Structures are given as structure tokens and as C-alpha cells.
Amino acid sequence: MPLNDERPASTSSGEDQGSDVESSSERCDSMTSASDVDCSRESFTSDCSSKHSTPSSSPPKTVTLDEVMDCARELCNLRLAHEITVNHGFHLESVNLPQNCLCKVVRDNLHKAFWDILESELNDDPPEYQQAIRLLEEIREILLSFLNPGANRMRTQIMEVLDMDLIRQQADNDAVDIQGLASYIITTMGKMCAPARDEEVKKLRESTDNIVALFKEIFRVLDLMKMDMVNVTIDSLRVVLQKEGVEYERATFQNILDKTPGALNHTTTWIKSSLEELLSATNPTEQSNSQGKEQRPLPGPFTVINNAFLHILTWDYNSHPLPETLMTDELRLREIQQQLQQCQAVNEVLLIVYSAIGGAIQGLPSLSDRLKKMTSVLLDGMHNPHFKMQEALEDISAQICSELNKSLTERSYPALTPALQATLTGQICSISQKDNSIRTLVEERVKLYFTTLIFDAKPQTKLEQVPAGLTAITPELASLGAKFISLVKYNKTVYGPFYADILKKLLFSNSPPAPTEW
């Protein structure tokens, strides 16, 4: 049975996608306490009739190269559809290759050879039009590709003016009006282009370059128009995918799973690890007393899944592969994790400062904002492999001490003593150590914040309710919390049936799950 009782009629993207997905997930996430445990066995022992509701199990088989290629195409389509659905700002842009790039050198040389041949042929006496005809034929196909299915009049006109057979006959008699054809092409482009390209088309009309340079510019603008057309298509697909995206992603992933039965191995390990953590969290004394008397209650399925998602916030991408069901959101999840870690570091620094200095700097929001901004700027890039964290913390300490001394003297307080500055510097630099008490405290409270959100039926109402000690980063936590919960809810909606099947096997198999090796 799926983790979500209702199939959503539509989905949206980014932080806004939660509105539709939330409606189908609220009922599920609210069943995480006693009712979660009570209903879990009943929910996960029933069979599902729909193929896409429960992943089919396939016997081990040899995967052929064709099947691998099919899976790669399916995965590419899945990633693209997911990106269009969840990212409202997703669009394609022209790639500007660096000057020393081999691809750019090869491309530029090929283009130069083409245009040199065209110029040479047109300058012959009499002119040769073989290259020009190929060019006009390509332009005709591009213009036709821009037309809507019902634009029959424009299609007929283009076919008549750019009639290749007629142009070949004219070429044989040296009667091709190449300048007139270029003028017609530019006029047609003006009728088809987006408003943003009107200025480019105007420049083409006013161009006084020779015919070869003019056609170069025509192709450049046509490339821009092709990119515009692709992005218009993406926008139109987004409307469809927001209604059908969940079913499409689920069906596509099912096709991948049918061809490669091991496509859920990492997801199974991820969920299994969460289950083992919850099982081991039971008091050892309670476990020994309960042996032989009654079976220890199993954690509910939603508890297991929510706990698994909390692990993603601290996921070690270098050591463990991400679950397959989260691969389409890997970049977004990494970004959330990195921003969260930076926010935590900023909060740790501020906690140390206010704990060490005390009342002399309390109640000064402008000072707090300056210290926060200063720390955040100096920690930018902290996830870069070449970032020197210890040096950055020393710089932060020096800047903070300077800012504090300035603020204190302006308000007739004594400046910080050298001993206090040294102590403050040492405490700030110590947050780079994993066992630092302030760091541990902040990480635990951040985890508590996200735990509250992920287990709450209406997390949007709790975004601003941060635990004590995290007030300084409330806006950042609220923003990251909204993004994370939105991704989690959409992911549950799409992959809930697959999680349900895995959990049914783990929770209600005859033997308890074997320990997971990481």
C-alpha cells in the first residue's frame, strides 16, 4: 500500500509545490504516534492490484546492453521531468565555451570552413550556389519547425518562397535573388520571434554587411530563437507535468526497476539503517525484561521513513551513495545541507560571543546583524575542498573582536582585555572539532527543529518556531525547512509505493533485519 492514501491531482515546484502535495501527505504524516504503530501491520500486509502501486519483484537476470541504454534514457527523462516540475526557474541557455576549449576550436574551424566556401562560391564568376542552397534549405527547415500545427498559410508561403527545386533551376540560370531571399527570411523571423528578439531582428534588417556576414547573423539569431522555442516547450510541459508528474515519475521509475531489479538496493539500505536505529533506541533493560513475555512493538512505517529523511540532512556523500529515489534531487539536497551547515557554524560563533561577553552586547539587533553577516561572509565556500577552516575562524575571531571593541567603546564600556580576546578566539576556533560542546548542542537543536517539521501534519505553521539558542538563524532555518519539507513531501508522493513495499518486507519478514554495514 502506498504511504500516501490519496493520489494528488497536481504537483508544483520549489517551495510552492507543498500546497498540492501537502494535501495528500498530511493524513499520512499525522499518523506517526500510537495510531501509526497500530495500523502499520494492517496497512503493510495487504496486496495492491495496481502495477505502479507496488514495485514488482523480478528474479535475478542478466541485463543486456540494450536494457542498460533503455534505463539510461528512462533515467534521463525522469531527471528532466522532475527538474521541470519542481524547479519553476528551469530553462535552457546557450553554452558559451571557453576560448581554449578543444570543442570550441573544432566548432569554430568547421564554421569558418563552411562560410569560407560559401563566400568563395558566391564570388565566383559566374557564382556557384551549391553551398548557398544547402544553407537556405536548412533555414527553411528551422523556420518550419517554429510553426504551430495549424499555421498552414505560413507553412505554404515558406515552402513557396524557399522552394528548393525552383531555386536550383534559378541557380542553373544564374538568376537567384539571394539578397531578396535573405530579406524574406528576416521578415519571417520577425513574425515568429519572441518580443525579446525584436531588437536582434531589427539589426538584421538594418545590416549593411555583405551577404555572407548577413547569413552568419541570421543563423546566430535563429539559434537564439530555437532556444526560446525550447523554453516555451518546457513551460508548456510544466503545466502538464504539474498535473501528471507524480504518475509519470512513478511509472518511469517502475520501468527502470523492471529492467534493473537492483535499482532499489541503496534505498533499501537507507530505510533498513533507519529501522535498525529506531529498534536499537529501545532501552536495553526494557528489552531484556520484555523477552519471553510479549513482542516488542515495531516502529511505524511513517516513523521509519521520516527518520530516514532526517539522515539525509547529514548525509556523507563521499562515503555512501544516495538512495536511488533521491537522485533527481541530489543537487538540491546537497545545497540544503551545505547552507544548513554554514548557518549552524554562524549560530555557534554567535552563541560563543554572547555567552562570553554577556549583557554588555545584549539587546543590540544591529550589532547582532553585523556579526552574523560578517561571519557568514567569511564562511562562504566552507565546503570547498581547498577552504582553510581554521584560518577562516581566526579571521572571524579577529573581526569580531574588533567590532565588539568598537561597539563597547562607543557606549562607554571597557574594551575587551587581551586575555578575553584570546579566550574568545580559542572558543571560536574550537568549533571546527566535531566533539565541540557548542557545535554538538546546535546540531542537536537543528535536528530537533527538522524532526518537529517532518513529523508535523502542517509543518508550514511551525517554520518560525525554532528551538532555544537558534533565534539568530530563524529566517535561514525557516527557508531551508520549507525547501526540505517540500522536497520530502513530493518524494513521498512519488515513491511512497516503493517505500511501502520495502518496509513491508523489513517490518514483517519472519526474521529481524540483519545489521547494515556502511
Side-chain angles (χ1 to χ4, degrees), residues 340-392:
L340 184 59
Q341 290 173 351
Q342 184 171 344
C343 286
Q344 289 176 180
V346 171
N347 195 82
E348 290 158 13
V349 170
L350 295 180
L351 280 180
I352 290 171
V353 169
Y354 279 88
S355 174
I357 308 303
I361 57 172
Q362 297 289 345
L364 299 172
S366 59
L367 174 62
S368 177
D369 289 342
R370 288 200 303 273
L371 296 179
K372 176 181 172 181
K373 184 177 181 179
M374 179 192 308
T375 305
S376 181
V377 168
L378 291 174
L379 286 176
D380 274 344
M382 62 180 287
H383 297 94
N384 189 308
H386 304 294
F387 186 83
K388 298 179 180 179
M389 186 66 171
Q390 205 63 28
E391 290 184 11

Side-chain angles (χ1 to χ4, degrees), residues 230-246:
V230 169
N231 288 323
V232 167
T233 304
I234 288 174
D235 289 338
S236 62
L237 283 175
R238 182 174 289 115
V239 176
V240 177
L241 287 172
Q242 285 174 350
K243 296 179 180 178
E244 308 293 340
V246 169

Side-chain angles (χ1 to χ4, degrees), residues 44 63 103 179 336 338 358 360 423 468:
F44 284 84
V63 180
C103 291
Q179 191 69 48
I336 289 173
Q338 291 175 359
T423 300

Side-chain angles (χ1 to χ4, degrees), residues 149-413:
N152 295 325
R153 183 177 178 181
M154 178 73 78
R155 186 182 305 275
T156 301
Q157 186 185 75
I158 292 173
M159 294 296 291
E160 288 177 352
V161 176
L162 297 177
D163 184 339
M164 292 301 112
D165 292 334
L166 177 60
I167 292 175
R168 287 189 181 94
Q169 292 177 13
Q170 292 173 343
D172 291 339
N173 296 286
D174 193 18
V176 178
D177 182 7
I178 196 74
Q179 191 69 48
L181 291 174
S183 179
Y184 170 77
I185 290 168
I186 294 170
T187 301
T188 306
M189 289 169 61
K191 296 176 182 178
M192 294 179 168
C193 71
R197 305 302 176 197
D198 286 344
E199 192 62 31
E200 297 281 358
V201 174
K202 182 180 177 182
K203 290 178 182 178
L204 291 178
R205 289 196 184 101
E206 298 172 352
S207 175
T208 57
D209 295 334
N210 63 52
I211 193 65
V212 174
L214 179 59
F215 271 107
K216 280 184 183 180
E217 284 301 296
I218 287 174
F219 264 92
R220 183 185 66 81
V221 177
L222 283 174
D223 284 340
L224 296 176
M225 291 174 62
K226 284 193 286 186
M227 195 62 66
D228 293 339
M229 183 60 68
V230 169
N231 288 323
V232 167
T233 304
I234 288 174
D235 289 338
S236 62
L237 283 175
R238 182 174 289 115
V239 176
V240 177
L241 287 172
Q242 285 174 350
K243 296 179 180 178
E244 308 293 340
V246 169
E247 287 299 320
Y248 174 79
E249 289 189 44
R250 187 183 298 160
T252 304
F253 190 81
Q254 179 68 57
N255 291 338
I256 296 173
L257 186 61
D258 289 340
K259 295 169 185 174
T260 53
L264 279 172
N265 287 349
H266 298 316
T267 303
T268 301
T269 303
W270 169 56
I271 294 175
K272 187 177 179 183
S273 175
S274 174
L275 174 60
E276 290 169 356
E277 179 186 347
L278 293 171
L279 289 174
S280 64
T282 306
N283 189 300
T285 306
E286 186 178 313
Q287 288 188 37
S288 60
N289 292 339
S290 63
Q291 287 178 355
K293 295 182 180 180
E294 58 182 11
Q295 186 178 7
R296 181 160 48 99
L298 294 171
F302 303 110
T303 302
V304 176
I305 292 299
N306 287 340
N307 186 60
F309 274 107
L310 288 174
H311 288 175
I312 298 300
L313 290 170
T314 55
W315 194 263
D316 186 350
Y317 290 90
N318 296 323
S319 302
H320 310 310
L322 198 66
E324 296 88 349
T325 54
L326 295 172
M327 292 299 291
T328 51
D329 285 316
E330 180 175 357
L331 291 179
R332 278 175 283 274
L333 292 170
R334 281 177 178 263
E335 182 181 359
I336 289 173
Q337 184 191 76
Q338 291 175 359
Q339 291 178 0
L340 184 59
Q341 290 173 351
Q342 184 171 344
C343 286
Q344 289 176 180
V346 171
N347 195 82
E348 290 158 13
V349 170
L350 295 180
L351 280 180
I352 290 171
V353 169
Y354 279 88
S355 174
I357 308 303
I361 57 172
Q362 297 289 345
L364 299 172
S366 59
L367 174 62
S368 177
D369 289 342
R370 288 200 303 273
L371 296 179
K372 176 181 172 181
K373 184 177 181 179
M374 179 192 308
T375 305
S376 181
V377 168
L378 291 174
L379 286 176
D380 274 344
M382 62 180 287
H383 297 94
N384 189 308
H386 304 294
F387 186 83
K388 298 179 180 179
M389 186 66 171
Q390 205 63 28
E391 290 184 11
L393 292 175
E394 291 174 0
D395 291 341
I396 289 170
S397 303
Q399 293 284 348
I400 285 179
C401 288
S402 174
E403 189 68 29
L404 289 176
N405 283 331
K406 179 181 176 183
S407 176
L408 290 171
T409 53
E410 286 176 352
R411 292 177 293 114
S412 302
Y413 282 95

Side-chain angles (χ1 to χ4, degrees), residues 42-60:
E42 179 182 352
S43 300
F44 284 84
T45 52
S46 59
D47 293 328
C48 299
S49 57
S50 172
K51 174 182 178 182
H52 298 302
S53 294
T54 303
S56 58
S57 56
S58 305

